[in-house]
Amino acid sequence: MSFRDTHAGELGSADAGRTVQLAGWADRIRDQGGVIFIDLRDASGVIQVVIDPAEHPAAVDLRREFCLSAIGTVTIRPAGSENLDLKTGSVEVAISDLTVLSTAKALPFQLDERTDVDELVRLKYRYLDMRRPRVAANIRARSVGVAAMRSTLSDAGFLEIETPTLIRSTPEGARDVLVPSRLQQGDFYALPQSPQLFKQLLMIGGIERYYQIARCYRDEDFRSDRQLEFTQLDIEGSFWGREEVLATLESVMVEVVRAVRGVELSTPFPRIPFQEAIDRYGRDKPDTRFAMTIEDFTDLFASAGFKAFAGVLEAGGVIRGLNAGPLGLSRSALDGLVDDAKEAGASGLVWLVVEEDGAIRSPVAKFLSDEEMAGMVSTLSASSGDHILVVADRARVASEVLGRFRVRFGTPEHHDELEFVWVIDFPVFEETDSGDLVASHHPFTAPADVEDMAANPRTAVAQAYDLVLNGLELGSGSVRIHDPDTQQKIFEILGIGADEAEERFGWFVEALRYGTPPHAGFAVGIARLMSILQDEPNIREVIPFPKTQTGIDPLTGSPSAVDDDQLVELGIDLRPEVRAERMAREAESAAPEVG
Ligand code: ASP
């Protein structure tokens, strides 16, 4: 039996008179007594079909989301009954033959976009959720985007190569997801945080141009834009430096955006050095869709009479400010900003409002000279109604706190515009709260200058770069270390002793000793890119089967308990306290409801 010869969404007036066979779902049903109208939906779109219940008595029992196959004649809709909202709205199909392929239970939620459905319920019935236009469009767009990545790279001579998912841990700075080995009881694989070391091995292996749509796993606490497992476009090239990486990624982004959005990006993307991003935007992922940059007033206040400012300057701090625009905030809301600034780590915040007559309203106005106030107003191009926010603190704190206000008051709600920017010249290392150094990218990133790094690790610059889109980090990459001695130096600075380095990475440093070509690469988070291109606030919307914020899949109920036998085979056991807690949890969920 054949199910269909025509896709619903492709029909138009040119098809009038044709007999077609369609298959799909009953999207909407309108029973008008003598005639039943059904919007029949398949993956290509929707067509209205018309059924005469006198000829097809079973049609009165049709319900939403029944799966149907139907044969009928395409007819032009009577004048006045066209549906301009529908691509196929000029025609309908008069059904002569109808088969119910399968029936559907009453739906847990309506599939039209107007109904707001709880996300847990949507995820539990994701297979129904993805029949809704929005999720369906996202899944489709993602496929279009990935296809554009593949074709651009394959045309440029890149090989698509799989790397293993059961590996030895890769240090990308997150917690590993571990998998116990049955054959080597007591040993564990890690799932890759990224294919980093394997792609470098491919370069050592002479592959020269690699890419992969790679699954990666990082056991981090969930945030709205993070998932335990995610997919990256992973790239690496030999005899490459930064310019080749950036140009390749730009060409990929141009094609993806053209394919998904139909928009032409201009290249090259602007570049902002890391330090400038921090100083002017307060973060390493600047949203450049709006100006509102942070300005430095340290010189302006060099001989400040205002004690709070003078004290900070004496202690080596800075004074920086931001024009947050005409916010129209009340006095108490403005004071609330001061509390927010303190919570964010600043010792305080000064606010000033430019009045209609140009005068300045501020609790500290009386401590500031006319020149100081005029200097701020002119540097920030502030005009009537504008709110100026000023923080006096250590440079990093001042900019970071102002950066938060910048994002809060400046960020456009939608991603109509696309502003790509490279952030370059990241530091090699970052300091943890306890003062230890950790790699700011990963420990295989080449420093700009090896000697300088050894002498001044805290300020050393790396050949590392991030790609940022609309204030969100899409991914990062770097020129890699191809010299084993430099690699060892990095481990040393990171406090990884010779023995530990040998045990964890000896195999990799050994590989570097066999004529390693200079190489560089990058990785882009696909869900994040797609969520911006699809103007979705949450990456879960562009992931076919996402997990919730707490790492749960409500559809399949994972993670879940496993049989004791499985644990025995793996040679592992739950810790007694964990076992007890699990049992208590189980008992609780099995307990009959009281009352
Ligand atoms: N492996 C890095 C990451 O996953 C990207 C790269 O350096 O190519 O972030």
Side-chain angles (χ1 to χ4, degrees):
M1 176 195 173
S2 76
F3 296 111
R4 74 168 160 204
D5 57 22
T6 303
H7 294 280
E10 291 165 4
L11 289 173
S13 35
D15 298 295
R18 269 183 65 203
T19 299
V20 295
Q21 185 180 25
L22 302 162
W25 291 265
D27 195 67
R28 292 209 301 153
I29 304 173
R30 291 175 304 282
D31 188 342
Q32 303 201 335
V35 53
I36 297 174
F37 293 100
I38 296 179
D39 286 347
L40 188 77
R41 183 194 71 241
D42 67 12
S44 68
V46 171
I47 180 78
Q48 173 165 290
V49 304
V50 189
I51 301 171
D52 178 355
E55 272 178 47
H56 304 280
V60 295
D61 297 326
L62 293 180
R63 293 286 169 267
R64 280 191 166 184
E65 296 307 310
F66 275 28
C67 187
L68 310 172
S69 172
I71 297 175
T73 311
V74 182
T75 53
I76 301 284
R77 290 206 202 183
S81 66
E82 297 93 347
N83 181 351
L84 297 179
D85 294 337
L86 215 56
K87 235 179 86 204
T88 59
S90 62
V91 290
E92 58 194 13
V93 178
I95 297 305
S96 54
D97 199 82
L98 178 73
T99 313
V100 174
L101 300 174
S102 61
T103 61
K105 282 175 64 175
L107 301 172
F109 51 88
Q110 293 310 316
L111 303 191
D112 62 66
E113 296 291 26
R114 286 178 293 275
T115 324
D116 224 359
V117 185
D118 180 67
E119 197 188 15
L120 259 188
V121 181
R122 285 178 56 201
L123 294 185
K124 180 165 160 56
Y125 295 96
R126 187 62 155 181
Y127 46 89
L128 294 180
D129 193 34
M130 68 174 69
R131 292 185 189 177
R132 307 171 91 197
R134 172 170 158 192
V135 184
N138 288 344
I139 291 177
R140 234 163 257 284
R142 181 169 173 155
S143 169
V144 167
V146 169
M149 292 172 187
R150 287 204 154 100
S151 65
T152 315
L153 290 168
S154 151
D155 289 352
F158 284 74
L159 303 187
E160 180 170 6
I161 301 175
E162 282 181 60
T163 52
T165 47
L166 294 174
I167 65 167
R168 210 187 157 115
S169 152
T170 38
E172 293 278 1
R175 202 178 287 115
D176 283 322
V177 179
L178 296 176
V179 180
S181 161
R182 181 179 59 83
L183 296 174
Q184 313 287 334
Q185 284 194 353
D187 285 348
F188 290 79
Y189 301 100
L191 298 181
Q193 292 185 33
S194 87
Q196 184 61 36
L197 293 178
F198 285 98
K199 65 176 172 175
Q200 292 193 241
L201 291 178
L202 289 171
M203 298 303 107
I204 299 173
I207 294 297
E208 295 198 17
R209 297 284 178 276
Y210 145 93
Y211 83 94
Q212 179 178 195
I213 307 297
R215 305 312 305 279
C216 304
Y217 306 83
R218 295 182 193 177
D219 193 357
E220 293 173 297
D221 290 337
F222 278 46
R223 294 203 309 244
S224 70
D225 60 351
R226 291 258 162 99
Q227 288 265 306
L228 198 66
E229 55 179 317
F230 59 98
T231 315
Q232 286 186 345
L233 168 64
D234 198 43
I235 292 183
E236 197 78 5
S238 288
F239 309 111
W240 263 16
R242 177 177 82 188
E243 294 313 312
E244 287 81 2
V245 178
L246 269 46
T248 302
L249 262 297
E250 286 178 358
S251 69
V252 172
M253 290 303 136
V254 164
E255 292 301 330
V256 170
V257 169
R258 182 183 293 150
V260 175
R261 277 270 186 112
V263 166
E264 289 302 314
L265 293 179
S266 60
T267 56
F269 301 155
R271 300 177 186 189
I272 302 180
F274 169 83
Q275 195 53 52
E276 187 184 327
I278 298 290
D279 288 343
R280 309 258 300 162
Y281 299 91
R283 57 210 307 249
D284 59 5
K285 21 185 174 299
D287 191 336
T288 49
R289 286 176 296 171
F290 57 104
M292 207 191 271
T293 45
I294 298 164
E295 302 297 335
D296 194 282
F297 295 132
T298 308
D299 288 345
L300 182 67
F301 287 99
S303 50
F306 182 29
K307 281 219 185 70
F309 283 5
V312 167
L313 293 182
E314 245 163 62
V318 300
I319 297 166
R320 289 186 180 164
L322 178 84
N323 180 358
L327 301 175
L329 295 181
S330 67
R331 171 73 201 233
S332 66
L334 283 163
D335 289 340
L337 298 186
V338 179
D339 297 334
D340 296 343
K342 287 183 180 157
E343 205 162 290
S347 44
L349 173 89
V350 165
W351 57 261
L352 306 96
V353 177
V354 184
E355 304 276 37
E356 240 169 63
D357 59 0
I360 300 286
R361 176 163 57 92
S362 168
V364 304
K366 55 180 176 293
F367 304 115
L368 305 180
S369 71
D370 288 348
E371 270 148 45
E372 287 165 342
M373 289 197 280
M376 286 195 286
V377 166
S378 89
T379 308
L380 294 171
S381 309
S383 52
S384 164
D386 281 349
H387 291 42
I388 296 175
L389 308 179
V390 179
V391 174
D393 216 306
R394 282 177 295 130
R396 181 99 189 206
V397 175
S399 278
E400 272 179 11
V401 170
L402 289 170
R404 288 186 191 217
F405 288 119
R406 179 180 184 274
V407 168
R408 175 159 149 198
F409 296 124
T411 308
E413 252 177 58
H414 294 286
H415 294 293
D416 303 325
E417 267 178 276
L418 299 175
E419 288 291 335
F420 283 90
V421 45
W422 293 109
V423 177
I424 57 171
D425 301 339
F426 270 79
V428 183
F429 302 108
E430 259 166 33
E431 232 175 281
T432 62
D433 290 341
S434 52
D436 295 335
L437 290 183
V438 291
S440 10
H441 269 65
H442 51 61
F444 311 99
T445 297
D449 178 324
V450 179
E451 259 143 49
D452 174 58
M453 175 195 70
N456 307 300
R458 275 164 214 276
T459 53
V461 170
Q463 300 188 58
Y465 25 78
D466 273 8
L467 180 58
V468 173
L469 171 56
N470 292 1
L472 295 164
E473 181 194 324
L474 286 188
S476 53
S478 57
V479 174
R480 321 301 185 187
I481 295 164
H482 68 281
D483 161 43
D485 297 336
T486 309
Q487 188 60 70
Q488 266 166 341
K489 185 91 224 151
I490 296 261
F491 291 146
E492 240 168 68
I493 297 176
L494 287 173
I496 304 177
D499 289 348
E500 188 190 343
E502 176 56 33
E503 133 77 13
R504 284 176 64 192
F505 306 117
W507 59 276
F508 181 69
V509 177
E510 167 73 358
L512 288 178
R513 294 189 200 285
Y514 293 89
T516 299
H519 57 289
F522 205 85
V524 176
I526 291 177
R528 190 163 307 163
L529 169 64
M530 290 312 307
S531 68
I532 300 172
L533 295 184
Q534 290 295 98
D535 197 15
E536 288 290 2
N538 192 305
I539 59 166
R540 291 192 292 277
E541 300 294 350
V542 298
I543 299 172
F545 296 103
K547 297 195 173 44
T548 63
Q549 297 265 46
T550 46
I552 284 166
D553 172 13
L555 202 173
T556 64
S558 79
S560 65
V562 294
D563 288 343
D564 248 346
D565 295 353
Q566 287 175 288
L567 291 180
V568 169
E569 261 189 332
L570 294 168
I572 58 181
D573 199 0
L574 299 181
R575 299 175 81 87
E577 68 275 17
V578 174
R579 188 175 281 275
E581 207 183 289
R582 268 213 96 264
M583 279 168 64
R585 234 172 28 226
E586 239 161 54
E588 201 175 293
S589 59
E593 265 179 44
V594 186

